[in-house]
Amino acid sequence: MERNKGCALCPRACGADRAVHPGACGCGALPRVARVMLHRWEEPPISGERGAGAVFFTGCPLGCVFCQNGDISTRENASKHGGIYTEKELSDTFLTLAEDGAATIDLVSPTPFTDVLIRAVADARKRGLTIPVVWNTGGYEKRETVSSLRGTADVFLDDFKFLSPALSGALAGAPDYGEYALAALGEMIGVAGEPRIGGDGVMRSGVIVRHLVLPGCSDDSIAVIRAINESYGSSSVLLSLMSQYTPDFFRGTDDGRLDRSLRRRVTTYEYEKVREEANRLGFDGFMQERGSASASYTPVWDEPDNERENNR
Ligand code: SF4
C-alpha cells in the first residue's frame, strides 16, 4: 500500500495527500532526483574505491537552518530541481551505478519515497544488484517506517543531529527530533544488525551514526553520544564525528545566543571535547580531518577491530 496518501511516513505526520499537493517536506507523490553521482566523500566503507552510488532526492522532512543542500532540500526548492523518476528508472539507475563501479547504492534523503524505493530496490536486486543499499537519513524517522525497510536497507547512515528539544526546535523546527531519532536508531540497529565490513573495506550491514559538531553546541553533541551509548552500547554502531560546519549556509535563527555561535566555525577545543568523550565511551569509527575544508576522513581513531573485518 502506498503510504503517501494522508502521509505519516515521518514524524511530522502532516497527513498530506501528495498526489494532490506536496507534504511539509516539499515532496510530491513521485520521487524527484536532483543528482546521481559516484560520491567519493562519504565515509570510507560507504564510498569504497570508486565512490558511493549516490542518488540525491529533493525535499526533506527537517528544515535545518544550516543545511548545505538547501537549494534542493527546502520546501520552496524541493520541486524546482532535478527530475521525476519512475520506479523502473530508479531500478535502472541503481544497476547503472553498480556497473560504473559504485561500492554501494547511497539513497540520500529517501524517507518521503520509502514505498517506491522498497519496490525499486527489490526490482534491481531481481535484475542482479548485489552491492549494499544505504539509507542515508537525517535521522528524523519513525520506527514503523524504519521497520518497513527490513530486506531493503543493508546499512543506515544516520545523521543524528541533536538531543535537546530546544536546540532541534530552534534549528530544525522539530522539538521532538531527539526522542524520535533515538527510538529510530534502535530500530535501525534491529534491522541492520551490528556493523560488518567486508575484506574489500565496504560496509555490508549495520549503522553508521554521523554527528556534526555545531559551534556552541558541543554539550548537546556529548549528550547525543552518551544517549546512544546508554540506550544501545557504543559497539552497536560506528560513529562518524564531523567538523565541517561552516556558517556559509546559515539562514539565521531567533535565538540570539545560537545565532551568534552559528556564525563561526566549530573550534578545535569543541570538537576535541566531543571526540575525547566518544573515545572514552569506546565508540569506533571515523573523524574528519580538522582545519580542512574538504570532507575527508581519517578512518578508525582507535585500534582496528579485527572482529569487524567480516566477509559476507
Ligand atoms: S514524509 Fe513529507 S509528506 Fe510524509 S509526513 Fe513527512 S513531511 Fe509529511
Side-chain angles (χ1 to χ4, degrees), residues 7-10 12-14 18 23-25 112:
C7 187
L9 278 165
C10 85
R12 297 251 181 238
C14 70
R18 287 163 40 198
C25 53

Side-chain angles (χ1 to χ4, degrees), residues 2 4 18 28-37 53-58 82-99 104-127 129 131 133 135 152:
E2 207 69 40
N4 58 25
R18 287 163 40 198
L30 295 172
R32 182 174 280 275
V33 173
R35 190 155 186 207
V36 175
M37 64 184 285
V55 183
F56 289 86
F57 296 96
T58 69
I84 298 290
Y85 276 48
T86 64
E87 187 179 315
K88 171 74 168 39
E89 285 166 336
L90 286 169
S91 170
D92 290 346
T93 300
F94 303 156
L95 290 165
T96 302
L97 284 165
E99 276 167 27
T104 55
I105 297 298
D106 180 19
L107 304 174
V108 186
S109 206
T111 306
F113 307 114
T114 297
D115 291 328
V116 65
L117 285 170
I118 289 172
R119 295 193 300 269
V121 168
D123 183 66
R125 284 192 174 134
K126 264 192 228 148
R127 296 162 64 205
L129 185 78
I131 56 178
V133 172
W135 199 257
T152 299

